[in-house]
């Protein structure tokens, strides 16, 4: 859902195309790129993954759920969030975008 302000969805449940993966921990935006950071705590303890907001297929505001157009397996192998690295590292943001663009979705 390109163009949607994802900041208002922090705390929402996140479902991949094949099941629940966690909740939105934070939103990040840098030079026109939007990402959500998903806390996969109940699924993969202690892991936070970075997902481009472009993978948000739909938002169910009534049930506070964000649905992705990626599978659990694709998200499982996505780049891990490291606090402080993504906000100003364009090369790292491009790695994340390439991960999903190169057939991982």
């Amino acid at each position: 859902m390109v163009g949607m302000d994802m900041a208002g969805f922090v705390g929402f449940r996140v479902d991949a195309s094949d099941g629940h993966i966690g909740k939105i921990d934070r939103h990040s935006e840098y030079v026109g790129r939007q990402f959500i950071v998903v806390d996969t705590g109940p699924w993969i303890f202690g892991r936070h993954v970075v997902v481009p907001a472009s993978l948000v297929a739909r938002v169910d505001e009534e049930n506070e759920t964000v649905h992705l157009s990626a599978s659990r397996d694709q998200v499982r192998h996505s780049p891990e969030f490291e606090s402080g690295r993504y906000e100003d590292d364009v090369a790292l943001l491009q790695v994340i975008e390439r991960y999903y663009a190169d057939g991982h979705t």
Side-chain angles (χ1 to χ4, degrees):
M1 301 193 75
V2 179
M4 178 176 272
D5 182 10
M6 297 303 298
F9 302 119
V10 172
F12 275 31
R13 172 188 170 103
V14 179
D15 286 350
S17 58
D18 56 353
H20 179 66
I21 60 169
K23 68 175 186 168
I24 296 179
D25 184 55
R26 68 181 72 185
H27 160 265
S28 181
E29 188 167 345
Y30 183 75
V31 191
R33 295 175 170 106
Q34 288 191 70
F35 298 88
I36 56 174
V37 177
V38 179
D39 176 356
T40 62
W43 177 46
I44 304 172
F45 182 74
R47 187 150 195 262
H48 290 76
V49 295
V50 180
V51 177
S54 61
L55 291 180
V56 174
R58 68 184 176 90
V59 176
D60 178 348
E61 292 188 58
E62 184 177 325
N63 293 307
E64 297 188 349
T65 303
V66 171
H67 298 271
L68 302 180
S69 61
S71 71
R72 288 171 56 114
D73 196 51
Q74 291 160 333
V75 173
R76 175 190 317 266
H77 298 291
S78 66
E80 189 161 357
F81 176 75
E82 295 178 38
S83 186
R85 284 194 69 194
Y86 293 95
E87 289 81 6
D88 59 0
D89 192 339
V90 175
L92 205 48
L93 294 174
Q94 290 171 340
V95 166
I96 294 164
E97 290 170 341
R98 262 194 312 275
Y99 169 80
Y100 286 102
D102 289 344
H104 295 285
T105 61

